[in-house]
Amino acid sequence: MYYYPLQPPYFLLFVGLFMAITSGFALSGTLQSIVQKWQKNNPENPLTNAAFRKRLSVPFLGITAGVCLFMASGLEIFGFPSFLALGVGLPLSILTCLLVWLQLGSMLTFAQRQGLRSLDLDSLP
């Protein structure tokens, strides 16, 4: 027996996608402003780890919420019951966003220590 939702959550799918995209643009702008401050100010005295994590946390939480909503709504549209869609979509998207957050923090710490040129992969032989 197949499960077909009477009213699939298409609206929630688009809201989640919109939240993730707009928060992604906000995160991009925040990262660009941090890099510009690093270049303008003294490179030996960059922002502290807590300072840039604090500035990046709000847009990143917006991305996380948007991805969670998008994932759960998408699974429900494809036939998962609501509780199962939330049970699969929420942990999967939160775990993925947590891993991306940890990687972003380590890359920013690496860029602080080694300089921004160390992240330029195009200049490697």
Side-chain angles (χ1 to χ4, degrees):
M1 174 174 223
Y2 292 107
Y3 171 78
Y4 293 110
L6 296 176
Q7 295 179 348
Y10 293 119
F11 179 72
L12 291 178
L13 182 84
F14 291 119
V15 167
L17 182 63
F18 179 74
M19 282 175 57
I21 289 173
T22 54
S23 297
F25 283 131
L27 183 73
S28 172
T30 306
L31 276 173
Q32 288 175 358
S33 72
I34 286 173
V35 169
Q36 287 174 356
K37 281 187 180 182
W38 280 356
Q39 291 174 347
K40 287 181 184 177
N41 294 342
N42 189 4
E44 290 84 26
N45 189 14
L47 291 173
T48 62
N49 195 10
F52 64 74
R53 284 188 189 262
K54 182 180 173 186
R55 289 184 62 193
L56 295 176
S57 63
V58 173
F60 198 81
L61 286 175
I63 292 172
T64 303
V67 168
C68 287
L69 187 60
F70 180 80
M71 179 80 69
S73 300
L75 288 173
E76 193 172 345
I77 287 170
F78 283 111
F80 283 76
S82 297
F83 68 91
L84 188 58
L86 283 174
V88 171
L90 215 63
L92 184 65
S93 55
I94 288 176
L95 179 64
T96 303
C97 289
L98 177 66
L99 292 174
V100 169
W101 177 255
L102 294 174
Q103 181 66 29
L104 178 66
S106 70
M107 292 299 289
L108 288 174
T109 304
F110 180 75
Q112 273 185 336
R113 278 192 239 126
Q114 302 293 328
L116 292 174
R117 296 226 184 252
S118 63
L119 296 177
D120 187 18
L121 297 177
D122 293 333
S123 65
L124 293 175

